[in-house]
Amino acid sequence: MQDQKNAPIDEATIDKIVLPEMGMGIREVTFEITNACNLRCVHCYAESDSRSGSKDKVTEKRWKELLDEAKKLGTTNVQISGGEPSMSPYAGELLKYAKNLGLKMVKLYTNGLHISDNLLNDVEEADALVKVTFFSYDPAVHDKITTVKGSHGRTSANIRRMNERGIKLRSGIVLTPFNNFDGNLEKTIEYLNGLGVKDVRHDYMHGVGRGYEMLQQDGYSALCGMCWTGKLAIDSEGYVHPCVMSRFVNLGNINEQTLAEVMDKPELMRFRKTIYAKFGDLRRDKK
């Protein structure tokens, strides 16, 4: 039986859809500034590891230009991600540059394994929100997912360290076949609260990248249904996708095009309308 989310929708239906205002333009853009990572998580949608930084094709200068372009196009939120952004020599510079542009929300998405004092200084200067991925209160379970022994302890120590410095923190728990068991989510939230993280959210693994090996999902069935809401993602090779999980949709490369040229592509609006048709409006704060 065909997955309903992957079922085709006729062009006439898509053409008639009028998206809410949030579906227009770029509200939030994610910059995957490096594909390198000091972990090798079993479900990683970007298939990152210690050697995958060889894919990086976007310069610091170009990332800054893209921040300028995004601001002009109405972007209010930027997320500096990866791979693991702390492995990039200019993650902190981009955070500060984004803040100096006057963007409303600047975020660093990290695994928290290694955060230098210099990067933390930049985070503080940028008044950035640090989003830390975490998997379990149980070190053995956490490390099984990251595939790096001792990662639980090192990330926990850095969360404490950031909390002591008064840095804004949020943690995201991704539920995989290894940590989606009774009690883990509740105990992990309690554990993170004890480390000083009061804003804890969770999501389920998506069948993208290495996640596909465990969860056989294709195309739209791997998406959450919120990627019509003014989101955009640029990977470390410069390819633009409607969101970090919709890597099957390639909107062009910003080493060859401006962000405005990418936004003008009809493929982006068609994707957003298709998502809206398949999932509906899932916003919690909708009126």
Side-chain angles (χ1 to χ4, degrees):
M1 186 176 181
Q2 186 178 31
D3 190 319
Q4 183 61 34
K5 294 175 185 177
N6 278 329
I9 299 176
D10 65 86
E11 294 291 337
T13 299
I14 294 175
D15 289 341
K16 292 177 182 178
I17 291 174
V18 178
L19 291 176
E21 184 178 354
M22 185 176 279
M24 312 304 292
I26 317 175
R27 178 181 57 86
E28 177 176 276
V29 61
T30 297
F31 288 176
E32 298 178 5
I33 63 173
T34 181
N35 200 63
C37 189
N38 42 17
L39 299 179
R40 194 182 186 279
C41 294
V42 296
H43 64 289
C44 179
Y45 63 82
E47 300 184 86
S48 300
D49 58 34
S50 60
R51 298 182 180 180
S52 59
S54 60
K55 296 180 179 180
D56 300 351
K57 305 297 181 185
V58 185
T59 65
E60 177 183 1
K61 179 176 179 291
R62 185 67 183 118
W63 286 122
K64 287 181 177 179
E65 290 173 350
L66 287 165
L67 283 169
D68 291 331
E69 293 175 29
K71 175 66 184 302
K72 290 178 181 177
L73 291 170
T75 300
T76 58
N77 299 357
V78 64
Q79 179 168 263
I80 304 300
S81 182
E84 171 49 43
S86 66
M87 296 185 72
S88 166
Y90 45 78
E93 286 300 315
L94 293 179
L95 291 171
K96 292 187 293 183
Y97 193 87
K99 184 64 176 180
N100 289 335
L101 281 177
L103 295 181
K104 181 179 179 181
M105 176 64 74
V106 180
K107 295 178 276 190
L108 177 70
Y109 190 31
T110 176
N111 59 39
L113 189 71
H114 177 72
I115 306 284
S116 69
D117 286 334
N118 286 338
L119 181 55
L120 286 188
N121 291 338
D122 292 337
V123 166
E124 288 182 324
E125 185 174 338
D127 191 30
L129 170 68
V130 178
K131 298 170 64 179
V132 185
T133 52
F134 209 81
F135 303 107
S136 181
Y137 70 97
D138 185 332
V141 174
H142 181 93
D143 292 359
K144 185 174 183 178
I145 293 172
T146 67
T147 70
V148 173
K149 188 175 181 180
S151 60
H152 179 277
R154 291 166 64 184
T155 296
S156 295
N158 280 323
I159 290 174
R160 289 193 190 94
R161 178 169 153 241
M162 287 187 283
N163 182 57
E164 290 170 357
R165 289 183 63 154
I167 289 171
K168 294 182 293 186
L169 292 170
R170 176 185 297 166
S171 192
I173 305 168
V174 179
L175 297 176
T176 76
F178 300 109
N179 64 340
N180 191 12
F181 54 84
D182 286 347
N184 180 69
L185 179 60
E186 294 76 13
K187 291 180 181 178
T188 303
I189 292 173
E190 182 180 358
Y191 177 83
L192 288 165
N193 289 164
L195 295 179
V197 186
K198 305 306 178 185
D199 185 356
V200 182
R201 307 180 185 189
H202 74 278
D203 190 13
Y204 293 90
M205 180 185 75
H206 298 265
V208 180
R210 283 198 288 269
Y212 182 78
E213 299 171 14
M214 294 181 286
L215 190 61
Q216 302 292 306
Q217 291 178 314
D218 283 307
Y220 293 98
S221 64
L223 304 180
C224 71
M226 288 292 289
C227 36
W228 65 268
T229 58
K231 296 184 178 183
L232 208 66
I234 305 172
D235 68 30
S236 70
E237 294 181 84
Y239 292 107
V240 186
H241 312 284
C243 70
V244 295
M245 295 296 173
S246 58
R247 303 175 101 79
F248 64 96
V249 179
N250 182 359
L251 298 171
N253 192 293
I254 46 74
N255 285 323
E256 303 167 357
Q257 300 167 294
T258 66
L259 204 51
E261 288 172 336
V262 171
M263 288 299 299
D264 282 341
K265 290 192 172 185
E267 294 92 332
L268 175 58
M269 187 53 63
R270 185 181 188 283
F271 173 86
R272 288 181 176 177
K273 288 185 175 182
T274 301
I275 289 291
Y276 193 81
K278 290 177 179 290
F279 292 86
D281 193 341
L282 303 177
R283 291 176 296 162
R284 295 177 181 176
D285 59 346
K286 63 182 177 181
K287 293 182 180 180

